[in-house]
Amino acid sequence: MTAAEPALTQDTHATDALREAAERHLRALAGDTARLREDQWKAIHALVAEHRRALVVQRTGWGKSAVYFVATALRRAQGAGPTVIVSPLLALMRNQIAAAERAGIRARTINSSNTTAWESTYADVAAGEVDVLLVSPERLNNPEFRDRVLPSLAAGAGLVVVDEAHCVSDWGHDFRPDYRRIRSLLHELPDGVPVLATTATANARVTHDVAEQLRSGEDRQETLVLRGPLERESLRLAVVDLPDAASRLSWLAEHLPRIPGSGIVYTLTVSAAQETARFLSERGLDVRAYTGQTDPDERREAEDDLLADRVKALVATSALGMGFDKPDLGFVVHLGAPQSPISYYQQVGRAGRGVERAEAVLMPGREDQRIWEYFAGLSFPPEETVRATLAALEEADGPVSVARLETRVDLRRTRLEQMLKVLDVDGAVRRVRGGWTATGTPWEYDAHRYEAVAAARAREQRAMLDYQALGTCRMEFLRRQLDDDAAAPCGRCDVCTGEYWPASVDPAQREAAAGHLDRPGVPVAPRRQWPTGMDTLGVPLSGRIKDDLRAGEGRALGRLTDVGWGGELRRILAADAPDAPVGDRVLQGIVRVLAAWGWERRPVGVVAMPSLTRPAMITDLAARLADLGRLAPLGTLGYRSEAGPGPRRHNSALRLHQVYAELVLGEAVGERLGALMDRTPGPVLLVDDHTDTGWSLAVGAALLRRAGAPEVLPLTLATTGG
């Protein structure tokens, strides 16, 4: 830090001196030619001289981080405490720390990847040796951090920054429950602590919502909102509409090498990212997959490779989004459309920040809307589910873990945790050591708001379809979706110029892509651990699944989200699809899966899982596989009652409870299996149409193993994933 800064008063001389100091810090941060934009100066002056709360909505690359780093330097020179930045992604944190160090600002971070350094970081903050502390939003509701660290941190902060502030609002395209905790943090700040919120993607409604949350109390001064035009002069927006997945992959393989620089290929699902990266690698392109399932160290290595232009592209899900900073990124191609123009604008905004021209190409898929529908199903749960959760917590003697709650509430763990975070911010529950407790505070289900948010999402999806079919400027359309009053035709997109990317593909490339997508086979990992708390449901299962009861690694023809087999599997497994034997193409795909399996011992028999919805499909498939593979047909497992397990449950505990109570081996299957094992002991194939939680296969395998099968190999048409 520099030593003494000019005295900061409200007169003109002091204002000029403050701006001079701000410009000096900016040059240290961004280079000798850097100059403050007028709105950058307005924000800095409001924070440093007036101690106000400000919301800055400006395009990616405008320089929002410069505002808070310069303000930090000035506030520290005044003797204020460190700046606390709530930042959503590790990639963003790493970039911000590097930028801060260039300006002589000492920055540290607290996140899930550096737990061993937390105590030393807290000590350095207390000793005044940290200028900027970056905190992930998840930390704000960690019980130890919230109760032991946050109060003193909030009391001593010189500036609080909320980065990617649109996440605060459930009207935003990327609402995150953890961000709602920020509202409590802001409310607890002492008077006089300035607050800055920044985002590049907020329409008028989100801007208003975030500004109101920043105000945080009737006595607070109105939030200063600085909103600029969202024009990105380097971007060349375009849409290439191709008939199928093979055409899209072959187009990528043909055209990516011709686009200057390196960039990002976005996909909607994990499986699509992995599949696309494999194909492009096989065609000689240096690319890497990047998803939420990628190991953190591999993710960081992939980011570094892209920053250093050691790869042509990262094929990524939205896990590579906010905060990735590569000014010379040459292109962003979307293989499938995001469900919101605002989300799309944010992702293409990664490109062209430091180059004159960058390509932003959207390649929509026929399956996009089905994927949107899946994600729409992850919205806030219905009231009866929320009430059941609150009742379970109120009836408990102490904290209840999420695993125990799963035995009472039919939600997948991720969705259950998100709901609890929302209830926590609303004051109805509280996270403590050992789990969650009810506070007893009355809570109202805001059905009107949840319905309105869902309706807003539906409008965004319709707008994304409109974007694909535009006959007018694409950039103007995106800017108007963000309520940018300065929106006007850009003169650069494919519609404005009449210069469209070719929609034809090279026949040889397409044949290679079709062959790649036609490869069947996805591993199905066996369940290894029984869910926690099954004893509360009367199920005597706990701990690790014993080796002599566990299924082996199985196979599925494909994932429902695959760009190859996914479309056909979704069609034949749709709720309104007839229960009929699979066609020859699917059967041959399954045969190819078996041929490529690579098992240690060849199966000797086939058992079908029972089904109330597709009994003909599954039993016929098992019989045909037995005939083709010369395997012993052992029959079908059964249910204790005609109703079977009942409607499918979504989480592990409740699904296992259903299956355990109903699934039985059956006397005939047991006798055939025993006779076969006496003659020719060996593995048994367990055939089903679809696996989701995996518990039906786990219980079925345990029944067969207990009856004498030395190994059980699940085989399904489809698996849920990606």
Side-chain angles (χ1 to χ4, degrees), residues 168-187:
V168 172
S169 173
D170 56 2
W171 297 105
H173 73 279
D174 195 20
F175 167 63
R176 302 186 179 196
D178 286 306
Y179 257 69
R180 293 191 62 179
R181 173 58 54 189
I182 294 170
R183 185 166 57 187
S184 299
L185 167 65
L186 299 181
H187 184 71

Side-chain angles (χ1 to χ4, degrees), residues 30 56 58 131 183 213 257 266 275 324 348 358 365 378 417 443 512 563 715:
V56 174
Q58 299 283 359
D131 302 314
R183 185 166 57 187
Q213 293 192 44
Y266 277 113
E275 197 68 44
F324 183 77
V348 298
L378 303 180
E417 288 174 336
W443 180 82
V563 290
L715 175 65

Side-chain angles (χ1 to χ4, degrees), residues 590-644:
I590 287 286
V591 170
R592 289 162 59 196
V593 170
L594 293 171
W597 196 316
W599 41 55
E600 294 181 7
R601 292 184 294 172
R602 188 178 188 276
V604 297
V606 181
V607 176
M609 287 291 291
S611 174
L612 299 179
T613 55
R614 299 187 188 91
M617 176 184 287
I618 298 172
T619 55
D620 177 80
L621 178 60
R624 291 160 80 183
L625 291 177
D627 184 55
L628 289 169
R630 297 179 182 177
L631 308 177
L634 301 176
T636 303
L637 300 181
Y639 291 135
R640 295 183 190 278
S641 65
E642 291 185 5

Side-chain angles (χ1 to χ4, degrees), residues 22 54 139 196 551-552 605 609 712:
R139 287 299 96 206
L196 172 67
M609 287 291 291
V712 176

